[in-house]
Amino acid sequence: MNPDVWLAAVIGAAVGALTVALVVHRRRRKEIIARTLVPHRTRQLLSVLQSGAVIVRRDRRAAFVNNPATAIGVARPDGALLPAVADLAEVAWKRGEAVEEEIPVKRGVLGVTSQVHVRAVPLDEDLVLAVVNDNTELRLAEQSRREFAINVSHELKTPVGALSLLAESIEEGADDEHMVRSFAGKMRKETRRLTKLIQEIIEISRLQGGDSVLVHADVDIAAVIAEAIDGAHLAAEAKDITITADIKATPMALGDHDLLLMALRNLVDNAVHYSNPGKRVTVSCTEADDTVSIAVMDQGIGIDLKDQERIFERFFRTDPARSRESGGTGLGLSIVKHVALQHAGAVDVWSQPGVGSTFTLRLQTHQGEQ
Ligand code: ADP
């Protein structure tokens, strides 16, 4: 081989080896500096925190980043730091005290922005500890609670307003016995609606409270179906609607009898309310793979596809006037959904306008005491 080529190859290899050695040396040095800045015990401690924890250096890089901080997206394990966190650390040094701020953080390929709470505490002249919490879910829950409170006030206004008007009319027409009787009947209807609304508001608040409200006991599903059908008997008779039970399995489920009955009652009541006179409602019960499926089928007015995913929302109605007329509150299906969730079960709907709807509640079966 040409001596010049040899020489070039040797020099090339030497430069390469030197570069690799330099990179390795720098990385080790960085690690040693970082380790000296943040002692092992402190790292261990910060690693077990649920909140994000970042130790910020003067050069606007992180000397330590725990996993939650990486997951939240404020810093990378290699020390790269979100500029807003470095800015906050500088403010903390300048003031010589803890400072806090809400910082927008973009995450994921979709670039979803969440508001992250950062509290920066100066540890000494060189280091700041930034504690980071993503409160997005908490804020959404708070917003949902606020919306619920506004909706509840709005829903309560209607029957209370109606009662007040009816009372006024009775006062004005006190001499007309027929009118007084008719208005008194209407007042009773509004009061019933109000009572149902208040009961359901209490129930949904309890179910959404987060804590488990279940009384755990063996529940005979076929018996609950029979009770639910019995409860809807009068309303069905008044509309000449036949309710049939089609029980192919008689399983037990572990859960709360009263809550399961309430959920099933809501489904059967709806099947009757949203069907025209003379139609048929069938409640079937089947079991497969440790799951019991309770299906409530009607030949009613059905639900548009666009509304099907919204009907489980609180106070959503496809036809508010029809719902109110039948004493509906718009909370029934939301209660069903939460009862299912509390039982680690599920509820879904199949529906076609003009053909009918089938709501299926699925629960895990339980063998009970042998
Ligand atoms: P409501 O008290 O209004 O019945 P729900 O939460 O039980 O409230 O139901 C929400 C909405 O879903 C109802 O207002 C109605 O529009 C629709 N819906 C529920 N069940 C049925 C059904 N079986 N057939 C047709 N529409 C239904």
Side-chain angles (χ1 to χ4, degrees):
M1 195 190 283
N2 185 331
D4 286 351
V5 176
W6 263 106
L7 193 64
V10 169
I11 291 173
V15 168
L18 214 66
T19 313
V20 169
L22 207 67
V23 168
V24 170
H25 172 72
R26 281 214 182 124
R27 196 173 292 158
R28 284 228 182 98
R29 210 168 141 252
K30 265 189 191 168
E31 278 172 13
I32 291 166
I33 292 173
R35 244 181 264 139
T36 345
L37 280 175
V38 188
H40 180 63
R41 273 292 159 92
T42 312
R43 290 163 171 277
Q44 271 187 322
L45 194 83
L46 296 178
S47 298
V48 297
L49 289 185
Q50 276 187 336
S51 301
V54 181
I55 295 200
V56 186
R57 295 193 315 227
R58 280 284 184 187
D59 63 357
R60 295 174 66 89
R61 289 184 64 82
F64 173 81
V65 183
N66 74 356
N67 286 338
T70 313
I72 291 171
V74 289
R76 286 202 318 239
D78 66 2
L81 198 60
L82 205 72
V85 178
D87 291 346
L88 194 68
E90 278 170 6
V91 176
W93 269 311
K94 209 160 155 190
R95 295 203 194 147
E97 61 181 22
V99 286
E100 34 197 294
E101 205 174 285
E102 297 281 326
I103 288 174
V105 178
K106 266 196 184 159
R107 252 183 310 183
V109 280
L110 297 177
V112 178
T113 305
S114 39
Q115 287 294 328
V116 168
H117 180 263
V118 184
R119 182 177 164 81
V121 189
L123 300 176
D124 56 30
E125 280 305 300
D126 299 314
L127 300 174
V128 155
L129 168 65
V131 181
V132 189
N133 284 298
D134 182 355
N135 297 331
T136 313
E137 269 183 29
L138 215 70
R139 207 163 296 121
L140 284 178
E142 187 53 45
Q143 185 187 344
S144 158
R145 259 197 295 278
R146 263 201 306 274
E147 278 172 11
F148 183 51
I150 292 168
N151 284 339
V152 164
S153 328
H154 180 77
E155 293 291 331
L156 288 174
K157 256 192 199 160
T158 315
V160 170
L163 279 173
S164 163
L165 279 178
L166 287 165
E168 250 175 56
S169 308
I170 286 180
E171 236 171 7
E172 279 166 16
D175 302 332
D176 184 342
E177 194 190 323
H178 176 71
M179 203 169 85
V180 169
R181 275 186 196 284
S182 152
F183 284 147
K186 285 185 179 151
M187 281 182 93
R188 250 208 319 274
K189 192 176 162 199
E190 284 302 328
T191 315
R192 264 202 303 275
R193 216 168 80 75
L194 194 58
T195 311
K196 185 173 173 216
L197 185 60
I198 292 168
Q199 271 168 353
E200 292 197 344
I201 287 169
I202 293 171
E203 214 47 69
I204 195 103
S205 308
R206 227 162 56 92
L207 284 164
Q208 288 188 322
D211 309 329
S212 180
V213 291
L214 297 193
V215 175
H216 282 283
D218 278 327
V219 182
D220 179 344
I221 295 298
V224 175
I225 292 174
E227 270 183 89
I229 292 177
D230 198 42
H233 179 71
L234 282 180
E237 220 172 54
K239 286 177 79 175
D240 190 26
I241 286 174
T242 321
I243 311 180
T244 319
D246 178 16
I247 309 293
K248 295 205 171 68
T250 54
M252 304 292 267
L254 192 64
D256 187 313
H257 168 273
D258 293 354
L259 286 182
L260 288 173
L261 176 60
M262 180 166 51
L264 216 53
R265 265 300 302 265
N266 287 348
L267 293 180
V268 179
D269 282 352
N270 278 350
V272 173
H273 282 148
Y274 299 104
S275 292
N276 291 322
K279 298 291 182 182
R280 178 182 289 276
V281 171
T282 310
V283 187
S284 73
C285 178
T286 52
E287 186 184 352
D289 301 330
D290 298 333
T291 302
V292 52
S293 298
I294 309 155
V296 180
M297 280 167 275
D298 66 49
Q299 304 169 325
I301 58 171
I303 305 159
D304 268 350
L305 193 62
K306 68 172 175 32
D307 291 329
Q308 285 178 22
E309 58 189 53
R310 298 206 55 198
I311 51 174
F312 294 98
E313 289 173 17
R314 293 173 311 208
F315 297 119
F316 179 84
R317 304 152 166 123
T318 59
D319 180 350
R322 179 164 182 155
S323 160
R324 289 214 173 86
E325 186 47 41
S326 64
T329 60
L331 287 175
L333 288 180
S334 182
I335 289 178
V336 177
K337 184 182 84 181
H338 281 96
V339 170
L341 286 176
Q342 289 271 352
H343 285 80
V347 58
D348 55 45
V349 62
W350 173 92
S351 187
Q352 208 170 325
V355 176
S357 310
T358 301
F359 285 85
T360 309
L361 178 63
R362 275 194 300 275
L363 302 166
Q364 221 176 4
T365 55
H366 183 244
Q367 297 314 316
E369 300 290 315
Q370 297 293 316

